[in-house]
Amino acid sequence: LRGFRFTVGPMLLLLGFYLSNFTKSQWRTILYSATALGLIVAIPTLFELFNYKLPLTSNFSEIGALVESHKISGTNIARVQSILAGPNALGLFMLISFSAAISTKLFFPKSLYVYSIFLILIAIVFSFSRSAWLGLLIAFLIILYSFASKYSKYLVWIITVLLIAAGIYIFLKNDMIKNPIVTHMDSTTLRVVQYERIWNSRNEIGFLGRGLGTAGPSSQYRLDGGPNRWTENVYLDIFEELGYVGLVLFCLVFLVLIIKFSLIKLKDKNNLALGGIVLLCSFCVSGLFINFYTGQVAVYFFIIILSFYLKYVEGNSEDKWQKS
């Protein structure tokens, strides 16, 4: 049941929203709400930057994640988490809000739009979430490439290569950036151990996997006392649960959607399609460092926004949306 909840549940939710009969007006309200929700979640991070945590728990609350102070391992550098369960959950949530905000440019006043983007970026940067950082980098490169002229696109590729080269150089030469800000010290070491475990047991996992609930967050605190297999990697968790077949099907769904939005973007220069591409690419890349449990609030938020793009992007140019 837990495996079904974390692995199959989001896919069923996506199908349910896609089959819904919401009107354009209702979907636009959902998009407005998504950006507004991103703002609400982002605002407490401003207080955290000045070492003030909002009183989000009471004496009747359990001692949980909201009470904890998250810091980068081995340092006093605080990681913001806002009202979510942790920095990684916040970073992923803000990443999705960023994608939604791209499309709300069609409807929001310019000043509010700029303010929204600013707060969202602040929250992503100071969450020190590697998955969110990587997703944000991919998002910026896609946006830059999308709006570049025919010849400027080559410049975008050059900038991308230079950024990667500079990042590798700084990573190797600066110990403070390399360890702990990027590697998060023990976090990376533990992940590598899990990657090796997956590789060594790939034949045992096979085409159909170990079954739902046998890997990832589903296998934590098992009632039968079975092994806790985790990787904090969406793709490896799905591979371990559902094997090669499940992993291929999972990746194929998002690959097909990315291609679909890309073709629409090329055809109509549709800003909504761009939002869909950014959302899918940034989320899929961040999946290398998170699983569906770490950011489960963000995962369902992602499904709702993706459903919006799926439902009303095709055949709706920006002009048509503005007139509606």
PDB file of all heavy atoms in Angstrom, residues 19 35 46 48 51 82 110 114 124 131 154 163 165-166 207-208 217 220 225 230 252 267 281 299 315:
ATOM      1  N   LEU A  19      -8.271  13.940 -17.100  1.00  0.00           N
ATOM      2  CA  LEU A  19      -9.611  13.557 -17.541  1.00  0.00           C
ATOM      3  C   LEU A  19     -10.695  14.468 -16.967  1.00  0.00           C
ATOM      4  O   LEU A  19     -11.876  14.282 -17.234  1.00  0.00           O
ATOM      5  CB  LEU A  19      -9.904  12.104 -17.138  1.00  0.00           C
ATOM      6  CG  LEU A  19      -9.015  11.041 -17.799  1.00  0.00           C
ATOM      7  CD1 LEU A  19      -9.344   9.665 -17.238  1.00  0.00           C
ATOM      8  CD2 LEU A  19      -9.172  11.057 -19.304  1.00  0.00           C
ATOM      9  N   THR A  35       0.926  30.100  -8.127  1.00  0.00           N
ATOM     10  CA  THR A  35       1.927  31.144  -7.944  1.00  0.00           C
ATOM     11  C   THR A  35       1.752  31.839  -6.600  1.00  0.00           C
ATOM     12  O   THR A  35       2.720  32.136  -5.905  1.00  0.00           O
ATOM     13  CB  THR A  35       1.835  32.177  -9.078  1.00  0.00           C
ATOM     14  OG1 THR A  35       1.924  31.502 -10.332  1.00  0.00           O
ATOM     15  CG2 THR A  35       2.953  33.194  -8.977  1.00  0.00           C
ATOM     16  N   LEU A  46      12.417  34.722   4.158  1.00  0.00           N
ATOM     17  CA  LEU A  46      13.046  36.021   4.403  1.00  0.00           C
ATOM     18  C   LEU A  46      13.362  36.197   5.884  1.00  0.00           C
ATOM     19  O   LEU A  46      14.406  36.744   6.250  1.00  0.00           O
ATOM     20  CB  LEU A  46      12.127  37.146   3.924  1.00  0.00           C
ATOM     21  CG  LEU A  46      11.845  37.201   2.418  1.00  0.00           C
ATOM     22  CD1 LEU A  46      10.877  38.329   2.110  1.00  0.00           C
ATOM     23  CD2 LEU A  46      13.141  37.374   1.634  1.00  0.00           C
ATOM     24  N   GLU A  48      13.915  33.700   7.983  1.00  0.00           N
ATOM     25  CA  GLU A  48      14.972  32.738   8.306  1.00  0.00           C
ATOM     26  C   GLU A  48      16.352  33.262   7.922  1.00  0.00           C
ATOM     27  O   GLU A  48      17.344  32.935   8.574  1.00  0.00           O
ATOM     28  CB  GLU A  48      14.715  31.409   7.602  1.00  0.00           C
ATOM     29  CG  GLU A  48      13.505  30.658   8.141  1.00  0.00           C
ATOM     30  CD  GLU A  48      13.310  29.327   7.426  1.00  0.00           C
ATOM     31  OE1 GLU A  48      14.050  28.376   7.739  1.00  0.00           O
ATOM     32  OE2 GLU A  48      12.418  29.249   6.555  1.00  0.00           O
ATOM     33  N   ASN A  51      17.902  34.878  10.745  1.00  0.00           N
ATOM     34  CA  ASN A  51      17.954  34.019  11.936  1.00  0.00           C
ATOM     35  C   ASN A  51      16.716  34.120  12.818  1.00  0.00           C
ATOM     36  O   ASN A  51      16.805  34.026  14.045  1.00  0.00           O
ATOM     37  CB  ASN A  51      19.209  34.337  12.776  1.00  0.00           C
ATOM     38  CG  ASN A  51      20.484  34.003  12.033  1.00  0.00           C
ATOM     39  OD1 ASN A  51      20.571  32.977  11.364  1.00  0.00           O
ATOM     40  ND2 ASN A  51      21.473  34.882  12.132  1.00  0.00           N
ATOM     41  N   SER A  82      11.251  27.194   5.351  1.00  0.00           N
ATOM     42  CA  SER A  82       9.922  27.804   5.356  1.00  0.00           C
ATOM     43  C   SER A  82       8.950  26.964   6.175  1.00  0.00           C
ATOM     44  O   SER A  82       9.288  26.521   7.269  1.00  0.00           O
ATOM     45  CB  SER A  82       9.428  28.006   3.923  1.00  0.00           C
ATOM     46  OG  SER A  82       8.207  28.692   3.904  1.00  0.00           O
ATOM     47  N   LYS A 110       3.141  43.326 -13.903  1.00  0.00           N
ATOM     48  CA  LYS A 110       4.586  43.169 -14.023  1.00  0.00           C
ATOM     49  C   LYS A 110       5.282  43.243 -12.673  1.00  0.00           C
ATOM     50  O   LYS A 110       6.191  42.448 -12.387  1.00  0.00           O
ATOM     51  CB  LYS A 110       5.141  44.248 -14.959  1.00  0.00           C
ATOM     52  CG  LYS A 110       6.622  44.092 -15.239  1.00  0.00           C
ATOM     53  CD  LYS A 110       7.104  45.116 -16.248  1.00  0.00           C
ATOM     54  CE  LYS A 110       8.595  44.946 -16.533  1.00  0.00           C
ATOM     55  NZ  LYS A 110       9.080  45.926 -17.519  1.00  0.00           N
ATOM     56  N   VAL A 114       7.582  40.182 -11.047  1.00  0.00           N
ATOM     57  CA  VAL A 114       9.006  40.306 -10.702  1.00  0.00           C
ATOM     58  C   VAL A 114       9.224  39.958  -9.241  1.00  0.00           C
ATOM     59  O   VAL A 114      10.190  39.259  -8.882  1.00  0.00           O
ATOM     60  CB  VAL A 114       9.511  41.743 -10.997  1.00  0.00           C
ATOM     61  CG1 VAL A 114      10.925  41.929 -10.461  1.00  0.00           C
ATOM     62  CG2 VAL A 114       9.467  42.017 -12.493  1.00  0.00           C
ATOM     63  N   ILE A 124      14.960  29.148  -3.317  1.00  0.00           N
ATOM     64  CA  ILE A 124      15.690  28.031  -3.925  1.00  0.00           C
ATOM     65  C   ILE A 124      17.178  28.104  -3.570  1.00  0.00           C
ATOM     66  O   ILE A 124      17.783  27.107  -3.161  1.00  0.00           O
ATOM     67  CB  ILE A 124      15.514  28.036  -5.457  1.00  0.00           C
ATOM     68  CG1 ILE A 124      14.064  27.705  -5.826  1.00  0.00           C
ATOM     69  CG2 ILE A 124      16.460  27.015  -6.107  1.00  0.00           C
ATOM     70  CD1 ILE A 124      13.779  27.750  -7.323  1.00  0.00           C
ATOM     71  N   SER A 131      19.400  19.293  -5.621  1.00  0.00           N
ATOM     72  CA  SER A 131      18.414  18.923  -6.640  1.00  0.00           C
ATOM     73  C   SER A 131      17.726  20.165  -7.195  1.00  0.00           C
ATOM     74  O   SER A 131      17.528  20.297  -8.408  1.00  0.00           O
ATOM     75  CB  SER A 131      17.375  17.962  -6.045  1.00  0.00           C
ATOM     76  OG  SER A 131      16.771  18.513  -4.891  1.00  0.00           O
ATOM     77  N   TYR A 154      23.793  29.481 -30.547  1.00  0.00           N
ATOM     78  CA  TYR A 154      25.148  28.938 -30.440  1.00  0.00           C
ATOM     79  C   TYR A 154      25.860  29.530 -29.225  1.00  0.00           C
ATOM     80  O   TYR A 154      26.637  28.842 -28.551  1.00  0.00           O
ATOM     81  CB  TYR A 154      25.945  29.241 -31.707  1.00  0.00           C
ATOM     82  CG  TYR A 154      25.391  28.560 -32.940  1.00  0.00           C
ATOM     83  CD1 TYR A 154      24.695  29.291 -33.901  1.00  0.00           C
ATOM     84  CD2 TYR A 154      25.550  27.189 -33.131  1.00  0.00           C
ATOM     85  CE1 TYR A 154      24.184  28.684 -35.034  1.00  0.00           C
ATOM     86  CE2 TYR A 154      25.031  26.563 -34.261  1.00  0.00           C
ATOM     87  CZ  TYR A 154      24.346  27.310 -35.207  1.00  0.00           C
ATOM     88  OH  TYR A 154      23.824  26.698 -36.315  1.00  0.00           O
ATOM     89  N   LEU A 163      29.973  27.422 -18.263  1.00  0.00           N
ATOM     90  CA  LEU A 163      29.445  27.293 -16.905  1.00  0.00           C
ATOM     91  C   LEU A 163      29.797  25.938 -16.297  1.00  0.00           C
ATOM     92  O   LEU A 163      30.190  25.843 -15.132  1.00  0.00           O
ATOM     93  CB  LEU A 163      27.919  27.478 -16.913  1.00  0.00           C
ATOM     94  CG  LEU A 163      27.400  28.914 -17.023  1.00  0.00           C
ATOM     95  CD1 LEU A 163      25.874  28.901 -17.161  1.00  0.00           C
ATOM     96  CD2 LEU A 163      27.803  29.723 -15.795  1.00  0.00           C
ATOM     97  N   ALA A 165      32.303  23.989 -17.174  1.00  0.00           N
ATOM     98  CA  ALA A 165      33.753  23.942 -16.959  1.00  0.00           C
ATOM     99  C   ALA A 165      34.149  24.737 -15.714  1.00  0.00           C
ATOM    100  O   ALA A 165      34.950  24.270 -14.888  1.00  0.00           O
ATOM    101  CB  ALA A 165      34.480  24.489 -18.188  1.00  0.00           C
ATOM    102  N   ALA A 166      33.548  25.953 -15.567  1.00  0.00           N
ATOM    103  CA  ALA A 166      33.854  26.783 -14.392  1.00  0.00           C
ATOM    104  C   ALA A 166      33.382  26.105 -13.118  1.00  0.00           C
ATOM    105  O   ALA A 166      34.072  26.125 -12.089  1.00  0.00           O
ATOM    106  CB  ALA A 166      33.193  28.157 -14.545  1.00  0.00           C
ATOM    107  N   PHE A 207      13.928  -7.587 -14.657  1.00  0.00           N
ATOM    108  CA  PHE A 207      13.007  -6.832 -15.507  1.00  0.00           C
ATOM    109  C   PHE A 207      11.800  -6.300 -14.744  1.00  0.00           C
ATOM    110  O   PHE A 207      11.275  -5.249 -15.070  1.00  0.00           O
ATOM    111  CB  PHE A 207      12.532  -7.715 -16.663  1.00  0.00           C
ATOM    112  CG  PHE A 207      13.543  -7.862 -17.753  1.00  0.00           C
ATOM    113  CD1 PHE A 207      14.365  -8.982 -17.805  1.00  0.00           C
ATOM    114  CD2 PHE A 207      13.700  -6.876 -18.716  1.00  0.00           C
ATOM    115  CE1 PHE A 207      15.315  -9.114 -18.808  1.00  0.00           C
ATOM    116  CE2 PHE A 207      14.644  -6.996 -19.723  1.00  0.00           C
ATOM    117  CZ  PHE A 207      15.464  -8.120 -19.766  1.00  0.00           C
ATOM    118  N   LEU A 208      11.326  -7.014 -13.728  1.00  0.00           N
ATOM    119  CA  LEU A 208      10.094  -6.628 -13.035  1.00  0.00           C
ATOM    120  C   LEU A 208      10.327  -6.090 -11.627  1.00  0.00           C
ATOM    121  O   LEU A 208       9.380  -5.712 -10.948  1.00  0.00           O
ATOM    122  CB  LEU A 208       9.130  -7.820 -12.992  1.00  0.00           C
ATOM    123  CG  LEU A 208       8.692  -8.359 -14.360  1.00  0.00           C
ATOM    124  CD1 LEU A 208       7.771  -9.558 -14.189  1.00  0.00           C
ATOM    125  CD2 LEU A 208       7.993  -7.266 -15.170  1.00  0.00           C
ATOM    126  N   PRO A 217      11.174   5.216  -0.041  1.00  0.00           N
ATOM    127  CA  PRO A 217      10.507   5.583   1.216  1.00  0.00           C
ATOM    128  C   PRO A 217       9.525   4.519   1.687  1.00  0.00           C
ATOM    129  O   PRO A 217       9.241   4.420   2.872  1.00  0.00           O
ATOM    130  CB  PRO A 217       9.769   6.877   0.856  1.00  0.00           C
ATOM    131  CG  PRO A 217       9.619   6.825  -0.627  1.00  0.00           C
ATOM    132  CD  PRO A 217      10.849   6.139  -1.134  1.00  0.00           C
ATOM    133  N   GLN A 220      10.894   2.047   4.362  1.00  0.00           N
ATOM    134  CA  GLN A 220      11.317   2.535   5.676  1.00  0.00           C
ATOM    135  C   GLN A 220      10.327   2.101   6.758  1.00  0.00           C
ATOM    136  O   GLN A 220       9.120   2.143   6.560  1.00  0.00           O
ATOM    137  CB  GLN A 220      11.441   4.060   5.667  1.00  0.00           C
ATOM    138  CG  GLN A 220      12.573   4.561   4.773  1.00  0.00           C
ATOM    139  CD  GLN A 220      12.667   6.067   4.752  1.00  0.00           C
ATOM    140  OE1 GLN A 220      11.659   6.758   4.860  1.00  0.00           O
ATOM    141  NE2 GLN A 220      13.873   6.585   4.592  1.00  0.00           N
ATOM    142  N   GLY A 225       9.882  -6.058   9.293  1.00  0.00           N
ATOM    143  CA  GLY A 225      11.292  -6.051   9.655  1.00  0.00           C
ATOM    144  C   GLY A 225      12.223  -6.249   8.484  1.00  0.00           C
ATOM    145  O   GLY A 225      13.420  -6.518   8.664  1.00  0.00           O
ATOM    146  N   TRP A 230      17.066   2.304   0.082  1.00  0.00           N
ATOM    147  CA  TRP A 230      16.787   3.667  -0.335  1.00  0.00           C
ATOM    148  C   TRP A 230      17.948   4.203  -1.176  1.00  0.00           C
ATOM    149  O   TRP A 230      19.079   3.737  -1.061  1.00  0.00           O
ATOM    150  CB  TRP A 230      16.591   4.586   0.877  1.00  0.00           C
ATOM    151  CG  TRP A 230      17.841   4.679   1.708  1.00  0.00           C
ATOM    152  CD1 TRP A 230      18.227   3.842   2.710  1.00  0.00           C
ATOM    153  CD2 TRP A 230      18.896   5.643   1.565  1.00  0.00           C
ATOM    154  NE1 TRP A 230      19.453   4.218   3.203  1.00  0.00           N
ATOM    155  CE2 TRP A 230      19.890   5.323   2.521  1.00  0.00           C
ATOM    156  CE3 TRP A 230      19.097   6.732   0.730  1.00  0.00           C
ATOM    157  CZ2 TRP A 230      21.067   6.056   2.664  1.00  0.00           C
ATOM    158  CZ3 TRP A 230      20.261   7.465   0.866  1.00  0.00           C
ATOM    159  CH2 TRP A 230      21.229   7.127   1.834  1.00  0.00           C
ATOM    160  N   LEU A 252       9.529   7.061 -20.163  1.00  0.00           N
ATOM    161  CA  LEU A 252       8.893   7.272 -21.465  1.00  0.00           C
ATOM    162  C   LEU A 252       7.739   8.270 -21.366  1.00  0.00           C
ATOM    163  O   LEU A 252       7.545   9.095 -22.269  1.00  0.00           O
ATOM    164  CB  LEU A 252       8.380   5.938 -22.005  1.00  0.00           C
ATOM    165  CG  LEU A 252       7.966   5.906 -23.481  1.00  0.00           C
ATOM    166  CD1 LEU A 252       9.150   6.276 -24.369  1.00  0.00           C
ATOM    167  CD2 LEU A 252       7.426   4.535 -23.856  1.00  0.00           C
ATOM    168  N   LYS A 267       5.915  25.307 -32.950  1.00  0.00           N
ATOM    169  CA  LYS A 267       4.830  25.617 -33.876  1.00  0.00           C
ATOM    170  C   LYS A 267       4.191  26.970 -33.591  1.00  0.00           C
ATOM    171  O   LYS A 267       3.997  27.789 -34.489  1.00  0.00           O
ATOM    172  CB  LYS A 267       3.780  24.516 -33.810  1.00  0.00           C
ATOM    173  CG  LYS A 267       2.577  24.748 -34.708  1.00  0.00           C
ATOM    174  CD  LYS A 267       1.546  23.643 -34.517  1.00  0.00           C
ATOM    175  CE  LYS A 267       0.297  23.911 -35.345  1.00  0.00           C
ATOM    176  NZ  LYS A 267      -0.747  22.871 -35.113  1.00  0.00           N
ATOM    177  N   CYS A 281      11.500  19.294 -17.479  1.00  0.00           N
ATOM    178  CA  CYS A 281      12.949  19.091 -17.518  1.00  0.00           C
ATOM    179  C   CYS A 281      13.601  19.345 -16.161  1.00  0.00           C
ATOM    180  O   CYS A 281      14.436  18.558 -15.703  1.00  0.00           O
ATOM    181  CB  CYS A 281      13.582  19.997 -18.582  1.00  0.00           C
ATOM    182  SG  CYS A 281      13.147  19.528 -20.269  1.00  0.00           S
ATOM    183  N   VAL A 299       5.644  16.986  -5.160  1.00  0.00           N
ATOM    184  CA  VAL A 299       5.293  16.034  -6.222  1.00  0.00           C
ATOM    185  C   VAL A 299       3.838  16.198  -6.634  1.00  0.00           C
ATOM    186  O   VAL A 299       3.512  16.266  -7.828  1.00  0.00           O
ATOM    187  CB  VAL A 299       5.562  14.584  -5.774  1.00  0.00           C
ATOM    188  CG1 VAL A 299       4.937  13.590  -6.749  1.00  0.00           C
ATOM    189  CG2 VAL A 299       7.057  14.339  -5.659  1.00  0.00           C
ATOM    190  N   GLY A 315      -3.030  24.052 -28.972  1.00  0.00           N
ATOM    191  CA  GLY A 315      -4.014  24.820 -29.736  1.00  0.00           C
ATOM    192  C   GLY A 315      -4.424  26.124 -29.100  1.00  0.00           C
ATOM    193  O   GLY A 315      -5.340  26.780 -29.565  1.00  0.00           O
TER     194      GLY A 315
END
